[in-house]
Amino acid sequence: MNSDYVLMEYYILYLEKVRKLSESSIKHYLDALRYISKFLVEREKIKISIYEILDINQLELLRAYLYSEPNFVALNERGHHMYSAGLNNYFKFANGENFNKKKKELEVLDIEVQMGEVRNIERTTWKRADIIKRQSIESAGYICEINKKHNTFISESTNKQYMEGHHAIPLKEQRYFDKSIDIYANIICLCPNCHRLLHYGLKESKKNLLNQIYDERSSRLAHSGIKVSKQEFIRLSL
């Protein structure tokens, strides 16, 4: 699977394997998004497909634009709101709604993903999917995956306990893998303290956390095409 449209593949798998919808229901949702993509392309809001939007805030802005666009509103009414239904369903998926209730089921999304686009700015960076990070935090139920007893504060944006998404193997190490590491299996939900520890703490303290993360995620990483020994995992993640 190519990472340029990884959200499309994840969404289809989610509808099929997690929500277990019928083929006809899935087709309706996908057809709605296909037409919405065409509508947005014609108005130069996106390049090719809505699935190229990797940031939840950008997706929210597009949704707001559509609901304020008279031509779309009229079209949606003629279509008995099938387009808004398709868009809202995808937005719920992108926002990770109910992911915390389906954490184990979501492991069916651990599949191999081809490496994404490299962007050359002042240094080489890898395009990342904010939506996948958001979904990962949601699936963890806004609970620190290092220590469930770690409490923070209530975030104004989510009205839930503030947590942060962390790539266990940093994206700067993508060059060592022929599959994408910007995937569910490689993103963990952490409290700010654990997150900062992994970035700035003493090596021995970080190693303890990385050992725990590897033990809990190595199988999922392998299913996603990231096969790495514990020693190599720790070396890349320090």
Side-chain angles (χ1 to χ4, degrees), residues 50-172:
I50 197 168
Y51 302 111
E52 73 197 40
I53 304 302
L54 302 178
D55 183 277
I56 192 69
N57 295 313
Q58 292 179 25
L59 187 62
E60 176 70 57
L61 288 173
L62 279 179
R63 188 170 71 153
Y65 165 77
L66 287 168
Y67 289 158
S68 67
E69 218 287 342
N71 291 322
F72 179 80
V73 172
L75 174 74
N76 191 44
E77 289 179 356
R78 289 197 302 273
H80 304 288
H81 302 280
M82 65 172 287
Y83 300 110
S84 58
L87 180 61
N88 289 339
N89 190 70
Y90 178 67
F91 187 81
K92 289 177 182 179
F93 160 78
N95 210 31
E97 187 171 309
N98 292 324
F99 271 37
N100 61 321
K101 299 177 182 178
K102 301 176 181 294
K103 185 173 182 179
K104 191 64 182 176
E105 297 171 68
L106 288 167
E107 291 186 14
V108 299
L109 304 183
D110 290 338
I111 54 177
E112 294 184 3
V113 179
Q114 299 302 320
M115 289 187 298
E117 165 189 344
V118 180
R119 298 180 297 176
N120 290 307
I121 310 174
E122 294 180 355
R123 57 189 175 85
T124 298
T125 60
W126 298 86
K127 185 171 69 175
R128 64 184 65 204
D130 170 75
I131 284 175
I132 293 176
K133 185 177 286 188
R134 172 73 67 92
Q135 292 171 324
S136 297
I137 295 172
E138 186 69 37
S139 70
Y142 291 80
I143 295 173
C144 179
E145 294 188 89
I146 291 296
N147 189 324
K148 295 181 179 180
K149 295 181 180 179
H150 288 177
N151 297 315
T152 64
F153 56 90
I154 300 301
S155 167
E156 184 175 359
S157 64
T158 64
N159 202 35
K160 296 177 182 177
Q161 182 168 234
Y162 178 78
M163 289 286 159
E164 298 173 345
H166 172 73
H167 287 87
I169 303 174
L171 286 184
K172 65 184 178 68

Side-chain angles (χ1 to χ4, degrees), residues 186-223:
N186 192 43
I187 300 176
I188 56 177
C189 175
L190 297 176
C191 69
N193 192 55
C194 286
H195 197 186
R196 297 283 82 75
L197 191 160
L198 282 171
H199 281 288
Y200 308 114
L202 296 172
K203 280 191 176 181
E204 284 307 310
S205 297
K206 290 198 284 187
K207 282 182 181 178
N208 290 334
L209 269 61
L210 291 171
N211 271 300
Q212 177 183 339
I213 293 169
Y214 182 84
D215 290 342
E216 294 175 355
R217 291 297 182 104
S218 59
S219 177
R220 291 186 58 188
L221 285 167
H223 276 106

Side-chain angles (χ1 to χ4, degrees), residues 113-116 167-175 177 179-187 221 226:
V113 179
Q114 299 302 320
M115 289 187 298
H167 287 87
I169 303 174
L171 286 184
K172 65 184 178 68
E173 309 299 351
Q174 177 65 75
R175 63 190 182 279
F177 301 94
K179 297 293 186 293
S180 175
I181 57 175
D182 192 23
I183 51 176
Y184 295 119
N186 192 43
I187 300 176
L221 285 167
I226 309 300

